Amino acid sequence: MTRKEIIDKLDCVEREVKEIREYLSQSEVGAVTHVDFPLAIEPDFKLEYTLEDLYREFGSKKSLAHRLKTALQKRNIKTLEGFLSLTPGELLDLENVGYDTLLRTKKALSRLGIDW
C-alpha cells in the first residue's frame, strides 16, 4: 500500500467517524424513541415495523440493504426484533457488513423512529 493510499483510507475512516459522531449527537437530543426498553420488559412486545420496512428505508443504497439482508439471513434473523437484539459491533462482525452498511442502517432505523 502506498503512502497516498494509506492517507486516503485514513481520510475515509475520519469521515465515517464524523458521521457516526453526528448521528450519536442527534440521537442524544431525544428525537428518537428507544425500543429496546419494551423489548426487554415485555416479551410479547411487537414492533409496528418489519425488516422489509428497514430495507426500504435504505433508499438509493439498495446494495447495502441487500448485503444486510443476506447477512441476517445467514444468521437466521427473520424479524426486526431479532435484528435489534444485535449490537452494532455484532452487526459489523457479520460477513459483508461494513461501516457504510452500519451507518445506513442507523439512518434507516432513525427514519423509522427507532434508536438502536
Side-chain angles (χ1 to χ4, degrees):
M1 190 177 279
T2 67
R3 181 178 172 85
K4 183 182 180 337
E5 289 172 328
I6 293 171
I7 291 171
D8 289 344
K9 196 166 201 121
L10 284 171
D11 287 341
C12 182
V13 169
E14 287 173 351
R15 279 192 304 275
E16 290 174 353
V17 168
K18 182 180 177 188
E19 286 181 25
I20 291 170
R21 283 191 176 137
E22 288 173 359
Y23 172 79
L24 291 174
S25 68
Q26 290 173 357
S27 66
E28 289 174 0
V29 172
V32 183
T33 306
H34 288 276
V35 296
D36 55 342
F37 184 74
L39 289 173
I41 301 299
E42 302 173 36
D44 295 330
F45 178 80
K46 297 288 182 213
L47 291 171
E48 60 183 288
Y49 298 110
T50 66
L51 282 175
E52 290 304 317
D53 295 318
L54 174 63
Y55 303 141
R56 247 189 316 280
E57 288 299 322
F58 273 65
S60 63
K61 300 290 186 177
K62 299 288 185 207
S63 63
L64 295 178
H66 181 72
R67 284 179 184 209
L68 178 62
K69 184 175 187 175
T70 302
L72 293 177
Q73 286 172 341
K74 286 181 180 179
R75 200 62 195 272
N76 202 28
I77 296 173
K78 300 177 182 178
T79 65
L80 187 56
E81 290 90 347
F83 168 78
L84 292 172
S85 70
L86 296 174
T87 65
E90 290 171 326
L91 181 65
L92 286 173
D93 286 340
L94 298 178
E95 185 179 339
N96 288 327
V97 175
Y99 287 107
D100 288 341
T101 305
L102 174 64
L103 291 174
R104 184 56 66 160
T105 300
K106 286 184 174 267
K107 288 178 184 179
L109 287 168
S110 179
R111 282 190 220 111
L112 294 174
I114 298 172
D115 186 20
W116 173 61

